[in-house]
Amino acid sequence: MTNDNLQPIILGIESSCDDTSAAIVRGTHLLSSAIASQKVHELWGGVVPELASRAHQQNIVPVVDAAFKQANIRKEDVNAIAFTRGPGLMGSLLVGTSFAKSMAIALNVPLIEVNHMQGHILANFVDEKGDEKKPEFPFLCLTVSGGHTQIVRVDGYFSMTVLGQTIDDAAGEAFDKIGKVLSLPYPAGPHIDAKAKVGNKDAFVFSRPDVKGLDFSFSGLKTNVLYFIEKKVRENPDFIAENMDDICASVQYTIIDILLRKLKKAIKETGITSVAIAGGVSANSGLRCALTEMAEKQHLTLHLPSLKFTTDNAAMIAVTGYFKYLKNDFTDATVMASARYSL
Ligand code: KG4
Ligand code: ZN
């Protein structure tokens, strides 16, 4: 289908963690995207599951309404409703799942379940202007979020193989936990990113794990930084304040180095030279710069998603829903949310 007006209209709903989001696409073209982030967790330094599901319940109706208003379409114009089935927090997933089911029944349209991790990867296919360059198959995707760190071989929209993943903490979790040690607000990733820009990455050296194959580990780095900071603060109580930018730059550099070493290994092993990134940590400016440099040196084709499609959003769920719609891959209303839904 080439005429955009003939393409199906899909409403996507995302509620797997602490962002309530709704988006509408026509084909792969984004018509609207609304998101309500939950500030309540900042107080606790991490997501509190019970508070997250309560906030989703409050946010979901206004967020879906906002998506329809922005897209300037009627509810009856929607051809299908896609929702995040998992992985994620059970209480949070239940809100989006139940809402999507009820709305699909009310509008008498098909229901499409989406795997959140697949959604992150397919976020690379959302169009805003229509002339965006898309990754070509096969490509390797480094998916780095608050809950996951994976290198995925992508042979088609629904042909994905996890080649390696974290055996403990995710990359985003490392940013957030180290940020907590530094008393930065949650989520700490963007704060560390901003401070790292003016810090010296070589100021402090932290450990790199020795993990076999294409798997990752970040818990050792977190402990290494924690002990280092504790020791330094005993010697000088103002150590963190005096060295904040340098600590952030050194931590960020280490995380990026761990990620890129494995990515290079995956490129070498598979012979695939087309690379994309996905997930919240793919918003990191240092990671984007390092990947751009690596792509130039190694003649890779690199695809960096637009920043707003890196962290959790419903555009990625709607576009995945669109690709499933083309395959008539629908689900019925007995579908259950799945906290540990693997790729
Ligand atoms: O994909 P996402 O929104 O949610 C999950 O599915 O987990 O990712 C959230 C993670 C958080 O750990 C957050 O600190 C991290 O992405 N993040 C960043 C940046 N922006 C978000 N990490 C490093 N640099 C950033 N600029
Ligand atoms: Zn996510």
Side-chain angles (χ1 to χ4, degrees):
M1 280 188 272
T2 47
N3 185 342
D4 199 42
N5 286 328
L6 297 177
Q7 296 277 25
I9 296 179
I10 315 288
L11 165 69
I13 293 174
E14 155 63 35
S15 73
S16 65
C17 190
D18 59 342
D19 293 306
T20 322
S21 172
I24 299 174
V25 292
R26 180 186 274 127
T28 54
H29 186 78
L30 187 67
L31 299 181
S32 69
S33 174
I35 187 155
S37 297
Q38 305 177 356
K39 296 274 167 242
V40 60
H41 308 289
E42 275 175 22
L43 272 174
W44 306 95
V47 177
V48 183
E50 177 59 27
L51 296 180
S53 35
R54 282 193 221 171
H56 281 306
Q57 278 179 324
Q58 284 167 357
N59 295 340
I60 191 126
V61 172
V63 163
V64 170
D65 247 6
F68 275 100
K69 284 206 182 89
Q70 239 184 68
N72 197 21
I73 60 161
R74 298 168 312 154
K75 298 200 169 56
E76 301 74 48
D77 296 331
V78 159
N79 295 100
I81 298 178
F83 68 96
T84 303
R85 183 179 172 204
L89 300 171
M90 195 47 153
S92 293
L93 290 166
L94 278 172
V95 178
T97 306
S98 319
F99 188 92
K101 281 188 199 178
S102 335
M103 194 162 176
I105 292 170
L107 295 175
N108 196 22
V109 293
L111 188 61
I112 302 172
E113 56 140 295
V114 172
N115 178 301
H116 181 84
M117 300 312 294
Q118 211 160 39
H120 269 305
I121 295 174
L122 296 182
N124 282 289
F125 292 88
V126 179
D127 283 317
E128 279 191 286
K129 294 185 230 100
D131 57 356
E132 289 95 336
K133 223 174 127 258
K134 308 285 172 56
E136 281 174 20
F137 304 117
F139 64 91
L140 293 176
C141 188
L142 176 68
T143 313
V144 271
S145 72
H148 292 80
T149 303
Q150 299 179 326
I151 296 179
V152 183
R153 180 190 166 116
V154 187
D155 288 291
Y157 297 118
F158 301 103
S159 174
M160 300 185 182
T161 315
V162 179
L163 302 180
Q165 57 192 325
T166 183
I167 55 169
D168 42 52
D169 291 351
E173 215 173 338
F175 272 106
D176 297 339
K177 287 181 175 171
I178 291 170
K180 202 168 177 179
V181 173
L182 301 173
S183 301
L184 292 172
Y186 176 86
H191 298 279
I192 294 183
D193 188 353
K195 294 187 186 309
K197 280 185 191 152
V198 288
N200 172 11
K201 68 176 176 46
D202 300 314
F204 308 108
V205 177
F206 298 115
S207 63
R208 274 103 172 123
D210 184 16
V211 185
K212 68 169 173 40
L214 295 174
D215 285 341
F216 300 92
S217 165
F218 289 99
S219 73
L221 170 65
K222 174 195 64 193
T223 313
N224 180 212
V225 176
L226 176 69
Y227 289 164
F228 169 80
I229 299 283
E230 277 178 358
K231 180 171 169 282
K232 289 291 185 183
V233 168
R234 272 198 300 274
E235 292 162 12
N236 168 15
D238 295 328
F239 177 78
I240 296 180
E242 286 169 9
N243 295 278
M244 182 64 106
D245 297 339
D246 289 349
I247 302 170
C248 289
S250 305
V251 164
Q252 178 170 299
Y253 176 68
T254 312
I255 294 176
I256 294 171
D257 190 45
I258 294 171
L259 292 171
L260 293 201
R261 280 184 197 200
K262 293 291 173 145
L263 186 60
K264 279 182 197 157
K265 193 168 154 72
I267 293 167
K268 203 167 161 209
E269 283 178 13
T270 60
I272 296 175
T273 54
S274 180
V275 171
I277 50 174
V281 180
S282 71
N284 185 268
S285 61
L287 176 62
R288 286 175 167 246
C289 269
L291 273 168
T292 307
E293 257 176 43
M294 179 177 139
E296 268 165 28
K297 271 196 205 133
Q298 302 197 4
H299 308 290
L300 308 172
T301 311
L302 177 65
H303 190 90
L304 300 176
S306 162
L307 280 184
K308 64 171 129 163
F309 304 135
T310 54
T311 45
D312 288 350
N313 66 89
M316 67 189 203
I317 304 304
V319 90
T320 307
Y322 162 68
F323 292 126
K324 285 197 156 186
Y325 185 95
L326 295 183
K327 298 197 306 159
N328 286 324
D329 189 352
F330 304 126
T331 181
D332 62 46
T334 59
V335 64
M336 303 281 284
S338 170
R340 295 185 177 276
Y341 195 17
S342 58
L343 195 64

